Amino acid sequence: MLRATRRRLTMLLVLLPFTAAAQSPFAMTNMARDFWVMFLPNTGGYYQLPIDSCTLIATGPEAADISIVSADDSVTLHLDGGGMAEHLCGTNAAVRGKAYHVTSTADIALYARNAIESSHDVAMIIPTLCLGTRYIAQSAAAAQGDTEMLGLVATEDSTVVTVHLVNPNGIPIPPDDIDAPADGRLHIALQRGEVYIVGTRQHRTFGAFSGMAVTSNGRPFALFQGNSAGHVPTADQYVGNHMFEQAVPESQWGHVHLTGGIGEQRKCYYLMTSAEDGNRISFNAQTPQSGETPTLDRGHSQTYVMEPNPYTAISTHTTGRTGYTMMLSSYGASGYCGAASTVMVPSVEHGVQQAWFTVQEFVSGGQTDRLVVFCDTALVHGLRLDGVPINDSSWLDYLPVQTYRTPVGLGAHRLEADSGTFVAFVYGLRNAWNDSYANPVGMALDPYPRDTLYRSDTTCQYAAYRWGPFHWADGGLTDTGTHSMEGQVFDPDTVHLYRLTLTVLPAYRNEESHELMPGDSVAVGDTILRTPGTYTFRTTAVNGCDSTVTVRISSCLPEVCLSLSRPFIDYDHPVVTFNDCTEGSRESRWTMSDGTTLSGRRVRYQFHHPLPDSLTVTLHTCNASGCCADSTVSLPVIARTVWFPNTFTPDAEINNRFGCTPSVELASYELTVYNRRGQVVYSTTDAKATWDGTCDGTPMPQGTYVYLWFATDVTGHRDAGRGTVTLLR
């Protein structure tokens, strides 16, 4: 049996929301209040130990009550602000195939640890609101032989996950022990909280799942990966466990990454996987080495070998989004040994200004630990650990990146910067044995949408309804049944995702139209209607929805409409054209005041002298229903086309302008005003214009003025006249 001979410390890095979110695009966090977790089984490998255990670890800056619920267990933990709370879930065999739903009353970061006596690995758990629907699996070769597997957890009902068991070139390559369809696409239907493990019993499988796409039918799910055997050397042998990490959705993969060389490591191995076609990858601004692929397409991977100096940052820069697994060779080993980190290594696109973390002892023994912080901008100022400035820094010449290194001990710590953003790692260095171990477990994620709002609601057909992005005006909800909808609302600094389950109950709308004959009525229930108009009746059904009956009643009697060529009778030209414009008119009869009767919708009639002061005309019109109505108009007899006043007072409140009042519509008009000497003091061709008693802006004196006028109406009738007007002051 192995003895615990040395200590390893691991940082649990908690990234807090950046308080000045409006000033920086890097206000991102891995903290939340809702998580889904599962553990992959520890199987395979030559040096596995049976005493492995699985633990959930929560940490955060605020006090919180944390609920951990599985299919057969429920636990409540209390977290003190700035501290850490742990729950031992049990041995690997006990937790296999379980889903854990973790909720908290305050924002926390959550980690899952899979540990044995001499080795462990810690996976950062991605908040539920950061999960996605598209993943690319990554896995690296096993050093001593191991299995590879993928674990799925559904966060919603009716989730269908498709594992594309094909290589990046589209050729199906399902492992021998997986029963997959001929096209290599394994479809897995899951309900909320259900778990499914896709695994292989083959030993020494060198990245069988790497590059495979794992997608869903639009519902977010969690993907966990068993990437490789993680072996940590003792003085005389290697022991290890199955590496356990949670995959990050494609939407969270980055373009520029910062990683770290590990002290006495001989080599670092990077397995880069591309999320896009035509992606160029470079390390420290260097082009690919001989034998390396210059570009990668989606799902394709490339292994890069680097030989770092102690604590030196290694940058990766890509033209498209990538994720990578970093395998670290240690203790003189020629294989892929040490710890692995998956795509959860931060990119410069995921930076913060504050971080809380704890350092915990897992294995006893002497060890020196270093905190290494990478700042993704040259403008970082005031970087402090527990309030003490960190001054040990260096620069990368090929990127505006600054690195900081400082010792760090057990317990809780606070890392913060006054300006700029950073990402961080912790390294547990075994200097006494000339080997090292690294487990970077902190990363900032972009949690858009920042929150998800759920609502189940019931409404009635044809009713108005509004919630978030869903808005129906009256009459918009026409389809009954239960509908699931999703929409987003964008605020200045966040995104809200709305998920609505709306049940629309049936209502009824009836419309009736009636035409009333003289003396008729319409009965609607107990109501008798005798007047034309629109009436609405509502009754409430058993399901609580109103039924609506709309009754529109029109009169059989026509609404008489008649038009005339002029609204008066010209004494000199007493000719008028009459038109019956009543809608639906079928019969028109005109009776003049002299007893003359004419028929037709349009008639022209000349009245005869002598003419009285006014005449009447009656229209009798009938529609197709046989309903008739009469209308009588009175027409004044006018001898002149226009009329002028005989006096006006410019300074008075009324009657202060001189102009014409036409009795007909004029086609042309001319007015000229003269003083006693025959001089023109005013003229116009606008019948609406009036004289204000001035000439070129000078007030005219009180007195009598002569005017001449000429006019032509729209029928072509010409008229002219003269007169006098008295100007009073």
Side-chain angles (χ1 to χ4, degrees), residues 472-490:
W472 290 273
D474 184 31
L477 291 169
T478 58
D479 296 331
T480 60
T482 300
H483 311 279
S484 297
M485 291 158 282
E486 182 174 296
Q488 288 184 336
V489 171
F490 293 82

Side-chain angles (χ1 to χ4, degrees), residues 39 53-55 57 86 111-115 120-122 360 362:
F39 294 93
S53 62
C54 300
T55 306
I57 305 168
E86 297 184 67
Y111 299 87
R113 183 180 68 193
N114 191 6
H120 82 285
D121 63 285
V122 176
Q360 182 183 13
F362 287 99

Side-chain angles (χ1 to χ4, degrees), residues 329-507:
S329 173
S330 75
Y331 198 61
S334 60
Y336 288 42
C337 300
S341 61
T342 66
V343 292
M344 294 194 300
V345 177
S347 168
V348 298
E349 295 150 73
H350 304 303
V352 293
Q353 278 195 316
Q354 300 182 56
W356 284 81
F357 61 91
T358 64
V359 177
Q360 182 183 13
E361 181 181 43
F362 287 99
V363 182
S364 62
Q367 180 175 316
T368 301
D369 296 278
R370 290 290 187 272
L371 167 66
V372 180
V373 182
F374 299 137
C375 299
D376 55 9
T377 173
L379 300 178
V380 169
H381 296 289
L383 185 64
R384 299 182 300 278
L385 177 64
D386 298 329
V388 179
I390 304 176
N391 298 316
D392 184 7
S393 65
S394 61
W395 292 85
L396 299 180
D397 296 333
Y398 38 82
L399 281 177
V401 173
Q402 191 173 12
T403 64
Y404 291 82
R405 299 172 301 280
T406 185
V408 63
L410 295 175
H413 302 277
R414 182 180 74 255
L415 185 65
E416 58 188 345
D418 292 335
S419 64
T421 58
F422 60 80
V423 294
F425 298 88
V426 66
Y427 302 112
L429 301 179
R430 297 171 179 268
N431 294 332
W433 287 272
N434 196 33
D435 60 50
S436 61
Y437 183 92
N439 199 341
V441 295
M443 183 183 66
L445 291 177
D446 185 356
Y448 288 114
R450 293 300 173 94
D451 55 15
T452 303
L453 305 178
Y454 298 88
R455 174 178 287 187
S456 295
D457 210 346
T458 302
T459 189
C460 295
Q461 190 179 18
Y462 307 117
Y465 186 85
R466 185 184 186 99
W467 183 62
F470 311 108
H471 182 207
W472 290 273
D474 184 31
L477 291 169
T478 58
D479 296 331
T480 60
T482 300
H483 311 279
S484 297
M485 291 158 282
E486 182 174 296
Q488 288 184 336
V489 171
F490 293 82
D491 290 338
D493 58 352
T494 188
V495 178
H496 303 283
L497 179 65
Y498 290 75
R499 289 183 176 150
L500 172 66
T501 301
L502 184 64
T503 301
V504 182
L505 301 176

Side-chain angles (χ1 to χ4, degrees), residues 18 21 36 100 142 171 292 298 346 349 384 394 440 489 540 615 642 646 705:
F18 175 32
W36 286 93
Y100 293 85
I171 302 175
E292 295 176 350
R298 185 177 187 274
E349 295 150 73
R384 299 182 300 278
S394 61
V489 171
T540 301
L615 296 171
V642 296
N646 57 13
Y705 295 81

Side-chain angles (χ1 to χ4, degrees), residues 571-604:
Y571 184 87
D572 297 324
H573 304 277
V575 178
V576 180
T577 300
F578 301 92
N579 180 53
D580 182 0
C581 51
T582 304
E583 184 178 358
S585 175
R586 294 293 185 271
E587 179 184 344
S588 305
R589 186 171 68 251
W590 305 87
T591 302
M592 310 302 171
S593 58
D594 59 2
T596 302
T597 301
L598 301 175
S599 297
R601 298 198 64 176
R602 182 181 179 88
V603 298
R604 184 173 182 273

